[in-house]
Amino acid sequence: MHAIEAIAISKKFGDLLALSDVNFFVAEGETFGFLGPNGAGKTTTIRILTGITMPTAGTAMIFEKDIVKETIAARRQMGIVHETSNVYDDLSAWHNLMFAAELYNVPRSVRERRGKELLELFGLWERKDDRVRVFSKGMKRRLTLAMGLVNDPRLLFLDEPTSGLDVQSNLIIRDVIHDLTEQGVTVFLTTHNIEEANLICDRVAIINRGQIAAIDSPERLKKTIQSVQSVEVAFDPPSLDRLNRLRALPLVSEVRKEGDKFRLITEDPATVIEGVTAYAQEHQVRIISMTTIGPSLEDVFIKLTGLVPRVKGVKVID
Amino acid sequence: MTDFSEGCGQLCRELKAAWAIAKKDIRIYYLKPNIIVSGMLFPLFMFLAFAIGRDAPPTLLVPGLIAITILFSASSIEPVSIPIERRTKTFDRLLSAPISLHSVVLGESLSGFLYSAGIALVPLTAGMIIFQTPLVQPAALIAGILLTAFCFATMGTLFAAYPTESPGDIMSMLNLVRLPLIFVSGVFIPVNALPPIGQVIVMLSPLTFGNDLIRAAFEGSTHFNPLVDLVAIGGFILLFQLAANHLYRKFNE
Ligand SMILES: Nc1ncnc2c1ncn2[C@@H]1O[C@H](COP(=O)(O)OP(=O)(O)OP(=O)(O)O)[C@@H](O)[C@H]1O
Ligand SMILES: [Mg+2]
């Protein structure tokens, strides 16, 4: 049984076509990432899948229940973590959590036990009686996640779960998702964080301007652009002036400066390594490190969404 | 994954969720100063402005004050809370919960209803002490207070369906209706003292019937049959509930 089946979903806001014929499925137990730039339609997709917004055309099945026609039955199985940390500022963390549980009819004894577990898990137990108004952004985000889990959902929607979180909170959340997956919970998450999608998703859909550009596992997506490999090199002394010289090396299609390193995109890493070595000898600079890397999910993303990397003077991968 | 549906059918789940929604508003709004001002002081001033110097008998004044207080207090919470919930996106929680929109509307109205029924005790007690008005039909009073409060709480929720994030937008629309209602509901001038056209217009206002019931509690007689009052207010409640449900659905598409 599929946890989610999106069937020819389109959504119009006035004249704007926010989603156009979106089709995909998510298998039960899968962690599915929805990756796309701002305004691509990620949140709109989640709002349709959770029955908050009506699709203009098409529908979605949640565990074989039609979200448009059997909305309540479909929703009973889901937990939702909305894009904004939508907590009640004037309620305590505890009352927020209990309210979320009551909306899902979680019995008192269960919700109190579960509530304690979750607040401890997200490091908020000591602050449970504080009004959420005084919470930091990250604390509110963690509380929002706890609220999404309080009904023990079989399918969890996460709309940019880690945006605005520090490394530690990020790790907690990644751990939580990992544990959920082990328990067989299906996770649907949206993100613009490519590394996050790469790390935790079984499959990823790349969406751009309301259309699905590709759906596959991160590794297989990378394979589709095997022609895009790169050599990453760091010099001593580091200097920006090298950009044009490196660009002139044979078979280098593009050079990006990434931190203190240069990334040379090529179809033929071996030749580029020779070229870089010769360049270093000629100019009497030392090579501190040199690595060849395969295509990253970011490369796939850039290629499929046609985005121009925002580094001056760098051309787009065609 | 746990199925929490055992031991409680869908209707029971809906009612529990509605009560949870009401409790949340009670926790957040009952102690907010602006709610107390708009729910208690505003109707009192309205009343003083129009009633003083009219030389009306206490059996007209006390029910009138109670009715106006209910009108304003019952519809003072949702028009504030719902736009704020839209702004903070907490409203999405209600819209995505496994319950019908009817329960959301009901839950939202419940907090205004309870608030108003409680506040109505203030003018009731004050009126009875100051004017020494005896209570002749307590049942009519209870029914009148509860039904009127519920009716205007639902009206508040209905107005709050207008998709704005600013409470002011809804309050100004609401006042466009609430203020005229005072004058076409037999609150200051008894219905039978109105010109014939006025006697027809009053039928459009739920406050007419609520006020009539509450007056019956003090005067022992009503302009309409109490049963007519009950059915009329019940009809308005149903109308507001259905309209609210329709509008929340429509504006959410
Ligand atoms: N209620 C609405 N009314 C009008 N347009 C809307 C509405 N909701 C979304 N849109 C439009 O639909 C498009 C997709 O928006 P959506 O919020 O789904 O993007 P997103 O992928 O979640 O972006 P982000 O990464 O910024 O969160 C945008 O162009 C947005 O302006
Ligand atoms: Mg979004």
Side-chain angles (χ1 to χ4, degrees):
Chain A
M1 178 169 26
H2 288 161
I4 305 175
E5 209 177 336
I7 307 156
I9 296 179
S10 295
K11 178 69 187 179
K12 274 190 177 164
F13 292 108
D15 285 341
L16 179 93
L17 188 58
L19 292 177
S20 154
D21 193 30
V22 168
N23 288 284
F24 64 87
F25 72 89
V26 177
E28 186 162 14
E30 202 172 25
T31 300
F32 189 86
F34 221 52
L35 196 58
N38 291 133
K42 302 182 294 296
T43 299
T44 305
T45 305
I46 287 204
R47 291 175 74 84
I48 289 174
L49 295 178
T50 53
I52 302 180
T53 304
M54 293 288 238
T56 310
T59 189
M61 308 296 284
I62 304 293
F63 295 113
E64 293 177 349
K65 300 235 159 42
D66 188 321
I67 188 64
V68 176
K69 297 194 189 107
E70 302 161 273
T71 315
I72 293 175
R75 281 177 180 169
R76 213 171 284 142
Q77 335 222 24
M78 34 171 108
I80 309 169
V81 173
H82 299 267
E83 182 172 33
T84 21
S85 296
N86 53 350
V87 290
Y88 291 94
D89 277 346
D90 289 312
L91 294 181
S92 66
W94 181 253
H95 281 144
N96 264 291
L97 198 53
M98 291 302 106
F99 174 59
E102 282 174 274
L103 282 182
Y104 285 83
N105 199 49
V106 181
R108 179 184 294 271
S109 59
V110 180
R111 67 178 181 252
E112 290 183 346
R113 177 175 48 73
R114 186 101 181 104
K116 183 165 190 286
E117 275 169 20
L118 285 167
L119 287 184
E120 282 172 348
L121 176 64
F122 286 103
L124 294 170
W125 179 247
E126 274 72 46
R127 307 291 300 271
K128 77 177 172 60
D129 294 321
D130 289 4
R131 279 187 181 208
V132 168
R133 185 176 294 285
V134 302
F135 278 20
S136 74
K137 188 171 151 196
M139 290 163 76
K140 285 186 184 176
R141 195 71 192 138
R142 281 182 271 151
L143 178 60
T144 312
L145 277 146
M147 289 167 83
L149 288 170
V150 75
N151 63 320
D152 248 325
R154 186 176 173 193
L155 165 63
L156 182 64
F157 287 97
L158 300 168
D159 199 348
E160 291 176 37
T162 54
S163 72
L165 290 182
D166 62 12
V167 177
Q168 195 198 349
S169 308
N170 249 317
L171 288 178
I172 298 180
I173 287 164
R174 218 165 277 166
D175 262 4
V176 169
I177 294 177
H178 183 79
D179 289 350
L180 289 172
T181 318
E182 296 219 315
Q183 293 160 29
V185 174
T186 310
V187 178
F188 180 99
L189 76 101
T190 73
T191 180
H192 356 91
N193 186 335
I194 294 164
E195 204 35 47
E196 181 172 275
N198 188 27
L199 277 176
I200 56 184
C201 295
D202 296 312
R203 281 191 311 139
V204 184
I206 293 181
I207 180 169
N208 190 32
R209 295 183 198 180
Q211 284 180 311
I212 303 259
I215 305 181
D216 217 326
S217 67
E219 288 311 313
R220 298 220 340 221
L221 281 176
K222 289 179 207 163
K223 282 226 176 67
T224 59
I225 53 161
Q226 207 43 268
S227 63
V228 188
Q229 304 198 47
S230 49
V231 173
E232 198 179 73
V233 57
F235 298 103
D236 181 27
S239 161
L240 257 184
D241 301 346
R242 307 188 204 294
L243 214 51
N244 280 327
R245 294 237 170 76
L246 292 173
R247 216 169 262 152
L249 293 178
L251 293 177
V252 170
S253 62
E254 183 196 332
V255 181
R256 281 187 234 160
K257 185 176 175 305
E258 291 181 347
D260 61 348
K261 294 175 274 295
F262 292 95
R263 186 156 166 203
L264 293 76
I265 315 259
T266 178
E267 287 180 26
D268 183 357
T271 309
V272 170
I273 290 173
E274 285 168 17
V276 170
T277 319
Y279 163 85
Q281 276 168 357
E282 185 187 331
H283 293 85
Q284 311 233 309
V285 287
R286 287 179 56 210
I287 294 173
I288 304 176
S289 73
M290 182 145 67
T291 330
T292 62
I293 26 190
S296 70
L297 198 53
E298 182 169 52
D299 296 323
V300 183
F301 185 74
I302 290 173
K303 182 168 171 138
L304 288 176
T305 56
L307 291 180
V308 184
R310 303 192 51 177
V311 180
K312 236 172 141 183
V314 172
K315 57 183 171 42
V316 199
I317 313 166
D318 57 325
Chain B
M1 147 84 194
T2 321
D3 186 4
F4 296 120
S5 52
E6 314 102 33
C8 185
Q10 184 60 26
L11 180 65
C12 142
R13 284 196 290 265
E14 299 275 351
L15 292 176
K16 281 185 175 173
W19 175 236
I21 293 173
K23 258 195 320 196
K24 167 234 2 150
D25 280 344
I26 290 172
R27 284 207 173 93
I28 298 176
Y29 290 100
Y30 276 20
L31 292 175
K32 280 244 171 17
N34 56 339
I35 299 285
I36 294 182
V37 168
S38 64
M40 261 171 98
L41 296 182
F42 192 63
L44 181 65
F45 292 148
M46 290 299 306
F47 177 77
L48 292 176
F50 294 108
I52 297 294
R54 266 181 184 269
D55 200 21
T59 48
L60 188 66
L61 284 183
V62 175
L65 177 58
I66 296 174
I68 294 177
T69 303
I70 293 175
L71 166 66
F72 281 92
S73 58
S75 54
S76 66
I77 294 189
E78 282 60 51
V80 174
S81 72
I82 292 176
I84 293 177
E85 288 215 29
R86 274 198 199 95
R87 190 189 310 153
T88 57
K89 313 285 179 211
T90 48
F91 204 58
D92 282 347
R93 288 195 179 278
L94 313 185
L95 294 178
S96 61
I99 51 173
S100 85
L101 260 179
H102 276 297
S103 304
V104 175
V105 172
L106 173 69
E108 290 288 346
S109 307
L110 273 179
S111 59
F113 160 68
L114 291 174
Y115 176 70
S116 178
I119 294 238
L121 298 178
V122 178
L124 173 67
T125 329
M128 287 179 66
I129 293 171
I130 296 168
F131 296 107
Q132 302 282 316
T133 43
L135 191 58
V136 286
Q137 283 189 8
L141 181 76
I142 293 169
I145 289 179
L146 295 184
L147 279 173
T148 314
F150 196 67
C151 182
F152 288 119
T154 312
M155 188 179 90
T157 311
L158 168 64
F159 273 74
Y162 180 73
T164 173
E165 296 184 355
S166 147
D169 290 350
I170 293 173
M171 276 303 180
S172 41
M173 281 196 309
L174 194 57
N175 281 335
L176 225 53
V177 172
R178 289 195 298 197
L179 294 177
L181 272 192
I182 301 178
F183 303 98
V184 295
S185 304
V187 174
F188 297 117
I189 305 162
V191 175
N192 48 21
L194 289 171
I197 174 78
Q199 300 211 12
V200 176
I201 293 174
V202 293
M203 308 287 277
L204 298 174
S205 160
L207 190 61
T208 304
F209 305 99
N211 187 53
D212 198 45
L213 264 182
I214 298 170
R215 268 183 68 194
F218 294 94
E219 291 188 328
S221 67
T222 47
H223 176 77
F224 302 102
N225 183 315
L227 204 63
V228 171
D229 288 332
L230 291 177
V231 170
I233 305 177
F236 277 109
I237 292 174
L238 192 66
L239 179 73
F240 292 159
Q241 169 81 27
L242 292 176
N245 191 69
H246 173 77
L247 289 184
Y248 280 101
R249 186 174 310 280
K250 178 172 178 287
F251 286 131
N252 203 43
E253 283 176 358

